[in-house]
Amino acid sequence: MPNNLFSSDAAFDSLYTLRAQQLSSIHWTPLKIALKAAQFLTEGPGNHILDIGSGVGKFCLIAAHYFPDHNFHGVEQRKTLIDEAIFAQNATDITNTTFIHTNFTELDTALYDHFYFYNSFSENIFHYKPIDNLIEASAQLYDSYLDHLYRMLEEKPPGTRLATYHWQHHQIPTAYKRVQHITGQDLKFWIKS
Ligand SMILES: C[S@@+](CC[C@H](N)C(=O)[O-])C[C@H]1O[C@@H](n2cnc3c(N)ncnc32)[C@H](O)[C@@H]1O
C-alpha cells in the first residue's frame, strides 16, 4: 500500500476515478472526519460497523485502516460506486471491509452493531451537484428511507452507537442520546440508552 495514502484527502482520493475525485468534497467523508467517527464507533461493544450509503467506500476504508480489529461494511445502491470501493480496497490490501450492492431498505441489519450515516438520503430532496441522474429520487423516497432507518435504530439494543455527519433534521429514536457534537464539522455522536 502506498505510504502516504492517508496523508491528505487528495492523496486518498487518488485511488478513485477522476469523476469520483471531483465528487469527493461534497459526497465523500473527509479523512479527519472518518477517523473521528471511527474512533467513536469502535469504542462500543461488538465490532461490525455499517456505513449506510457507503459511496466509493471512503469512510469504510479509512476506518478499516486505522482500526484493523473491527469490520467495516458499506451498503450502497449504485453498482459503479461499489466497483470503485472494491477497486480501492484491492489497491490498499485492506481486508476488514465488505461492500454490499443493494438498497439499504433491502439489507438485513441484524449483523451490525454500530452505524455511520452521512445524510445519505438527502439526494432525494437536494439536487446540488448530484452523483448522477440514474437513480429515482423523490420526497416520498426520502421519507420512506428515513422511516426505515428510524425503525431499524429502534430495534437495536442499548449501547448501539451512531455517528451522523451533516444531518441537521435528524429523526432519531429518543432513546439515542447525543453524547458529542463537533459543531464546526457537523459531526454528532449518539448512544442508545
Ligand atoms: C453522501 S454519500 C456518502 C458516502 C460515504 N458514506 C462516505 O461518507 O464517503 C451518500 C451515498 O448514499 C447512497 N445512498 C443513498 N440512498 C441509499 C439507499 N437507500 N441505499 C443505499 N445507498 C444509498 C448514495 O448512492 C451515495 O453514494
Side-chain angles (χ1 to χ4, degrees):
M1 172 182 343
N3 276 340
N4 60 355
L5 212 48
F6 296 87
S7 62
S8 70
D9 282 298
F12 191 85
D13 290 349
S14 70
L15 285 168
Y16 299 117
T17 58
L18 188 56
R19 172 69 184 150
Q21 290 179 38
Q22 288 164 344
L23 292 170
S24 185
S25 64
I26 296 188
H27 293 282
W28 321 138
T29 299
L31 210 149
K32 284 184 179 150
I33 298 293
L35 187 52
K36 279 184 194 163
Q39 171 88 56
F40 168 72
L41 293 170
T42 53
E43 284 167 357
N47 71 350
H48 288 280
I49 291 151
L50 178 69
D51 180 6
I52 300 164
S54 52
V56 292
K58 191 170 173 185
F59 167 77
C60 286
L61 290 167
I62 292 166
H65 170 73
Y66 285 107
F67 299 94
D69 295 335
H70 285 72
N71 296 295
F72 295 87
H73 309 269
V75 58
E76 170 55 51
Q77 63 181 345
R78 289 179 165 89
K79 174 73 165 57
T80 50
L81 303 185
I82 288 282
D83 291 344
E84 292 242 15
I86 292 170
F87 182 87
Q89 178 184 31
N90 291 338
T92 52
D93 295 331
I94 287 171
T95 54
N96 52 329
T97 52
T98 60
F99 296 103
I100 306 145
H101 176 219
T102 191
N103 194 298
F104 165 63
T105 55
E106 302 294 321
L107 185 71
D108 176 0
T109 47
L111 171 69
Y112 310 108
D113 303 301
H114 307 289
F115 301 90
Y116 178 70
F117 185 66
Y118 179 179
N119 201 7
S120 294
F121 309 142
S122 65
E123 65 176 348
N124 286 287
I125 51 170
F126 300 120
H127 307 293
Y128 180 66
K129 288 204 180 172
I131 294 172
D132 57 39
N133 58 5
L134 304 173
I135 296 280
E136 187 195 343
S138 70
Q140 287 78 8
L141 270 180
Y142 181 71
D143 289 340
S144 77
Y145 289 163
L146 280 187
D147 189 52
H148 189 89
L149 175 60
Y150 187 98
R151 282 185 281 112
M152 186 279 287
L153 290 172
E154 222 171 19
E155 284 166 14
K156 286 290 166 184
T160 300
R161 288 175 177 233
L162 169 70
T164 62
Y165 184 49
H166 284 303
W167 191 24
Q168 283 92 13
H169 304 290
H170 26 75
Q171 295 153 18
I172 298 174
T174 52
Y176 284 77
K177 305 296 177 213
R178 197 166 76 191
V179 293
Q180 198 178 349
H181 180 186
I182 305 173
T183 40
Q185 297 168 332
D186 210 0
L187 180 65
K188 296 174 192 144
F189 297 153
W190 313 76
I191 300 180
K192 190 173 185 187
S193 54

